[in-house]
Amino acid sequence: MKSWQYILFSVLNVVLAVYLVLAVTAFNTPDKSAERCENIEINITEGNTNGFLTEKNILSMLQQHNISPLGNVPDSINIREVEKLLKASPLVKEAEASVTAEGNLIIDVEQRLPIMRVKTYNDDYYIDESGNIMPPTPYNVDVIVATGYISKNYARQYLFPLATTINEDELWQQQIEQINILANRGVELVPRVGNHIIYIGHLPANNGEENNIATFITKKLDRLEKFYKYGLARIGWEKFNYINIEYDNQIICKK
């Protein structure tokens, strides 16, 4: 065989081999245009605690804004649009979306958790675990309710550390259901058990030191717990209707 014939034969073999590889690859590669998103997997962080969000809520958001990917081809799913929509919700702290190899959508959501609801003559809103204001929603959660003379600034600077301290103690989280702020900023606590109201006095100045309030309320509740244990447990929970623990050296009870 002449050299030029050998070269031509080799080139043809290479071309044929490349063609066969491409043909086999194309044959084995699934047709993406035929795939459709058939499932949305939603993971909600802290989903079992006092949060508002459910999978149903998130699916409803996607449908209302016409960006639900169900039935669409994977390449048409705009995960950035999904994330932008969820992050715009006052109930969402963070959101991430991704598409699996099968074309299904996965959504990971970190929700904002309310720890207190503020209901005054003019306002109705929640305070979340970071001290930020959340607007009211159609959904309800079992959190402490704060009433009375409350500005948003007072709620963030004073009631937030107060509610946080109460929620950190299992006993008081279950016992205290309401905080009431009097016109002179005196603080009343309304318990679940017993027909009495607890007056704790005025919260100390915050000045950016939330620990001042945490220390103050912890000290008050420690005294109250001892009074519950050694006082009301013996004489009866219905004996008094007003318990004043404002002063460190005495507890004043009224019928």
Side-chain angles (χ1 to χ4, degrees):
M1 180 180 295
K2 296 181 180 181
S3 59
W4 66 270
Q5 291 177 323
Y6 176 80
I7 294 173
L8 179 60
F9 181 75
S10 299
V11 171
L12 290 174
N13 283 337
V14 171
V15 171
L16 180 60
V18 171
Y19 172 79
L20 290 174
V21 170
L22 293 176
V24 171
T25 302
F27 180 79
N28 291 324
T29 301
D31 184 6
K32 293 292 185 181
S33 63
E35 292 182 352
R36 292 291 186 272
C37 176
E38 298 180 354
N39 184 52
I40 301 177
E41 179 183 331
I42 300 174
N43 304 307
I44 303 176
T45 303
E46 306 292 349
N48 295 324
T49 57
N50 285 333
F52 294 113
L53 285 176
T54 64
E55 292 185 19
K56 185 178 180 181
N57 300 148
I58 295 175
L59 290 174
S60 178
M61 290 183 200
L62 298 180
Q63 292 170 354
Q64 289 176 3
H65 290 79
N66 296 319
I67 60 173
S68 175
L70 290 175
N72 296 331
V73 296
D75 289 344
S76 70
I77 300 175
N78 189 335
I79 60 175
R80 296 292 171 258
E81 188 176 14
V82 172
E83 292 174 345
K84 182 179 179 181
L85 169 67
L86 295 177
K87 289 178 181 178
S89 169
L91 308 181
V92 175
K93 181 185 294 185
E94 190 58 64
E96 291 185 2
S98 59
V99 178
T100 67
E102 294 77 22
N104 296 319
L105 179 65
I106 297 179
I107 300 176
D108 295 312
V109 174
E110 183 180 0
Q111 65 176 324
R112 297 172 64 186
L113 299 178
I115 65 168
M116 175 178 61
R117 184 171 188 173
V118 178
K119 296 193 70 172
T120 68
Y121 302 106
N122 302 316
D123 284 316
D124 184 3
Y125 54 89
Y126 288 91
I127 298 291
D128 72 8
E129 79 280 16
S130 299
N132 299 314
I133 290 177
M134 298 175 61
T137 74
Y139 320 109
N140 291 315
V141 291
D142 185 17
V143 294
I144 294 174
V145 177
T147 57
Y149 296 83
I150 306 170
S151 66
K152 286 186 171 66
N153 183 61
Y154 184 83
R156 285 191 297 260
Q157 290 193 20
Y158 291 87
L159 295 189
F160 166 64
L162 172 58
T164 298
T165 304
I166 291 175
N167 286 328
E168 288 175 348
D169 188 291
E170 185 176 357
L171 168 64
W172 300 117
Q173 182 186 36
Q174 297 298 321
Q175 172 69 340
I176 304 301
E177 64 177 356
Q178 182 180 346
I179 300 170
N180 185 54
I181 306 302
L182 304 176
N184 65 355
R185 291 292 171 84
V187 179
E188 295 178 332
L189 304 179
V190 181
R192 296 181 189 274
V193 179
N195 293 324
H196 56 273
I197 293 175
I198 305 153
Y199 181 72
I200 65 173
H202 296 76
L203 297 176
N206 190 320
N207 298 326
E209 295 291 338
E210 295 178 357
N211 287 336
N212 290 343
I213 296 176
T215 301
F216 172 84
I217 189 62
T218 298
K219 186 176 180 180
K220 296 291 185 183
L221 294 180
D222 285 346
R223 292 178 60 229
L224 181 61
E225 182 177 2
K226 292 177 182 177
F227 179 68
Y228 275 0
K229 184 176 180 179
Y230 300 107
L232 294 187
R234 295 181 178 180
I235 63 177
W237 287 83
E238 309 302 323
K239 185 71 174 179
F240 304 108
N241 57 29
Y242 204 85
I243 300 173
N244 185 336
I245 58 173
E246 177 182 10
Y247 306 106
D248 291 339
N249 59 349
Q250 61 180 333
I251 296 178
I252 304 172
C253 300
K254 298 180 181 178
K255 295 183 178 181

